[in-house]
Amino acid sequence: MPKTASGPLSADLAPDPSRWRALVFIALAQLMVVLDATIVNIALPSAQLDLGISDGNRQWVITAYALAFGGLLLFGGRIADLWGRKRTFVVGLLGFAAASALGGAATGEAMLLGSRALQGAFGALLAPAALSLLAVMFTDAKERAKAFGIYGAIAGGGGAVGLILGGVLTEYLDWRWTFFVNIPFAVVAAAGAYFVIREPAGGRNRSPLDIPGVVLSTLGLVSLVYGFTRAESHGWSDASTVGLFAASVVLLAAFLAVEAKVKSPLLPLRVITERNRGGVYLSLGLAIIAMFGLFLFLTYYLQVVKGFSPVKTGFAFLPMIAGMITGSTQIGARLMTRVAPRLLMGPGFLTAATGMLLLTQLEVGSSYAGLILPAQLLLGLGMGTAFMPAMSLSTHGVEARDAGVASAMVNTSQQVGGAIGTALLNTIAASATTAYLTDHAAAATSPQAQRLLQLQGMVEGYSAAIWWAVGILVVSAAIAVTFINTGRPGAGSQPVAGGGEGELAEDAVLIPVVAH
């Protein structure tokens, strides 16, 4: 009987009879975490007015969550491997519910910001535990494709669902319900996980915690995310912005140096140096940059330029959600066992780029049905098709003891990508808008003409930034096709290409995303 570093292959690897019921609760938890990244956006103006938050500090409602989440994800993944994924998953859910209750009951700015940071911290426990549970529970290639198809659709479409739910709750109830709505999600998912999930034995990593790695990775990622956030409001040449980027480079370089030397690293370098996993983390992070920037621009375009209400704006994103679900569950899941993953990810990102290309034609009077709807459908279909194999490959060939930290890496690439996308593309849009207004200011002589000029300037800025998003998606496609060279599930049994030490095919059996 072959063995891995985690022990012999045994009956523990038999399919868990409750795995599909477990998927319901894992998917519910993932939906809560992903939608929480955007649900607060639409509620923010109301919360700012109610709690007296200044314009200068309002960004911290978003930033506090992103910093805690992005900075602690690797630590959360390691905790999942150490404590056990089920226990970490349940603790993360209950903590997230408590932090949400605190946010909904906030009586001032400090209480709201503290609750958002706590949400991010518990989300950093929850997200990698959820993905790694899927990795160790679904061991049949076809079943795995279906499970990750559902998970990928939620991971991709949850942000848009958050915009819809945030609009409905804010308009018809109160901004506080964008926090309170998490409580039933979390309680139901935690109860279901506790009674249904049976984590396979022998997959824990009980090595001592790498404290220097925790400190360096957390500070490095926080510096990186905050640097991009600060660049959005203070500019790229601001001394503090430059200092944060420099600090992030130094800290993350020191982190990699430490991980290469310590006996029990927080992030074993074998997790990121295998070319297929590395290609997933890089291509997915870039794609998220493009996608999150688009969420921001379309929200403002629909509300400010087209005059949509918060609820109407949320529902305007439905075609993208429908496209993502179709791409993930009907295209990605059905084809993943038949074709190599790169043949789904590459064309998927290019299809999304085509949808984004349509949106470069935005004008003040553009038709929703004639331009925005087909663009969203293409974007959703492409991203859904690419997300499904990307999520599955994020744990490509890892030993069971590394599943948590490998899952944390794909979440980290998404979280950091989202922060970079919002800041980078918003800065490009703002610069293009300013240039357009400067060039055309003399022609606007009446209040009506000045208002039209302002709207035209905004749309010009969005178009300029969306061109960048098109290019980023094309680069994502190129990386996916170039780096990811594994075959379809069941295609062979040779060693992992580019694998780290000990990563032969028999090591991958515990987490058989693909056979090599």
Side-chain angles (χ1 to χ4, degrees):
M1 179 177 291
K3 296 184 180 183
T4 70
S6 301
L9 305 180
S10 65
D12 288 323
L13 296 177
D16 185 343
S18 62
R19 60 195 178 282
W20 290 108
R21 282 183 294 156
L23 176 62
V24 173
F25 301 112
I26 293 170
L28 185 65
Q30 175 67 10
L31 176 62
M32 179 188 72
V33 171
V34 175
L35 67 81
D36 208 74
T38 55
I39 192 172
V40 176
N41 288 13
I42 289 180
L44 184 54
S46 301
Q48 180 185 358
L49 184 65
D50 197 16
L51 299 180
I53 301 173
S54 68
D55 286 346
N57 287 341
R58 67 183 176 187
Q59 66 164 335
W60 280 100
V61 178
I62 308 300
T63 304
Y65 181 84
L67 287 179
F69 201 150
L72 293 171
L73 267 167
L74 284 177
F75 179 53
R78 178 66 180 86
I79 290 295
D81 289 333
L82 180 65
W83 283 359
R85 286 126 205 151
K86 175 178 175 178
R87 181 184 300 174
T88 306
F89 184 70
V90 172
V91 169
L93 280 166
L94 296 178
F96 202 95
S100 298
L102 188 68
T107 56
E109 178 180 322
M111 190 172 172
L112 182 64
L113 297 183
S115 72
R116 287 292 282 167
L118 279 175
Q119 279 185 316
F122 282 108
L125 280 180
L126 175 59
L131 184 55
S132 57
L133 276 171
L134 281 190
V136 298
M137 291 182 73
F138 287 88
T139 55
D140 175 76
K142 289 186 178 180
E143 288 191 348
R144 189 184 184 84
K146 291 178 184 177
F148 275 93
I150 295 168
Y151 188 90
I154 290 171
V161 173
L163 295 171
I164 295 174
L165 194 56
V168 170
L169 293 173
T170 301
E171 191 161 328
Y172 294 114
L173 291 173
D174 185 79
W175 67 266
R176 296 180 184 276
W177 280 95
T178 61
F179 287 89
F180 290 143
V181 73
N182 290 327
I183 299 173
F185 274 96
V187 170
V188 169
Y194 182 80
F195 290 109
V196 171
I197 291 177
R198 182 179 68 84
E199 184 178 354
R204 290 197 193 178
N205 184 344
R206 300 182 186 274
S207 304
L209 194 59
D210 171 21
I211 300 299
V214 170
V215 173
L216 288 170
S217 67
T218 301
L219 292 178
L221 288 171
V222 165
S223 296
L224 182 64
V225 173
Y226 186 36
F228 275 100
T229 304
R230 187 174 176 85
E232 184 180 358
S233 56
H234 291 76
W236 296 95
S237 59
D238 175 71
S240 296
T241 302
V242 174
L244 284 165
F245 284 133
S248 71
V249 170
V250 172
L251 288 165
L252 292 175
F255 169 66
L256 291 176
V258 167
E259 299 308 277
K261 293 180 179 179
V262 297
K263 184 178 179 181
S264 304
L266 174 68
L267 174 63
L269 295 186
R270 61 180 178 267
V271 170
I272 58 174
T273 53
E274 199 275 314
R275 64 182 295 164
N276 292 283
R277 291 194 298 269
V280 165
Y281 302 147
L282 188 55
S283 63
L284 191 60
L286 286 171
I288 292 291
I289 288 177
M291 190 172 171
F292 267 63
L294 181 70
F295 280 158
L296 181 71
F297 298 142
L298 270 187
T299 299
Y300 275 93
Y301 175 80
L302 292 171
Q303 288 198 41
V304 177
V305 178
K306 305 298 284 186
F308 284 21
S309 69
V311 171
K312 190 175 180 181
T313 299
F315 278 100
F317 280 94
L318 274 177
M320 190 185 299
I321 299 173
M324 283 181 177
I325 293 173
T326 303
S328 188
T329 61
Q330 300 305 310
I331 300 175
R334 289 177 183 271
L335 293 181
M336 188 175 171
T337 55
R338 302 177 185 179
V339 301
R342 66 177 178 275
L343 299 182
L344 291 175
M345 292 182 65
F349 287 138
L350 288 178
T351 302
T354 304
M356 202 77 82
L357 188 63
L358 288 179
L359 290 174
T360 62
Q361 307 305 307
L362 270 181
E363 296 177 356
V364 172
S366 292
S367 162
Y368 175 83
L371 179 66
I372 298 173
L373 188 150
Q376 284 196 60
L377 284 173
L378 284 171
L379 188 66
L381 278 171
M383 292 298 254
T385 301
F387 266 37
M388 199 283 295
M391 288 294 174
S392 184
L393 281 173
S394 66
T395 50
H396 171 87
V398 298
E399 301 167 6
R401 62 178 183 168
D402 292 334
V405 74
S407 302
M409 272 303 303
V410 75
N411 281 285
T412 300
S413 67
Q414 290 183 79
Q415 198 63 32
V416 173
I420 291 172
T422 303
L424 175 64
L425 296 182
N426 198 42
T427 303
I428 292 169
S431 299
T433 296
T434 301
Y436 184 88
L437 294 178
T438 302
D439 291 343
H440 296 80
T445 55
S446 66
Q448 185 176 1
Q450 290 174 356
R451 170 62 178 164
L452 180 60
L453 178 63
Q454 288 287 338
L455 295 179
Q456 288 172 333
M458 289 175 64
V459 175
E460 186 71 19
Y462 300 157
S463 296
I466 291 170
W467 271 111
W468 278 78
V470 172
I472 290 169
L473 283 170
V474 171
V475 172
S476 294
I479 290 171
V481 172
T482 303
F483 279 68
I484 297 169
N485 68 349
T486 185
R488 63 181 176 83
S493 58
Q494 66 269 26
V496 178
E501 54 185 331
E503 287 190 61
L504 298 180
E506 65 183 27
D507 290 311
V509 176
L510 274 175
I511 306 195
V513 180
V514 288
H516 315 296

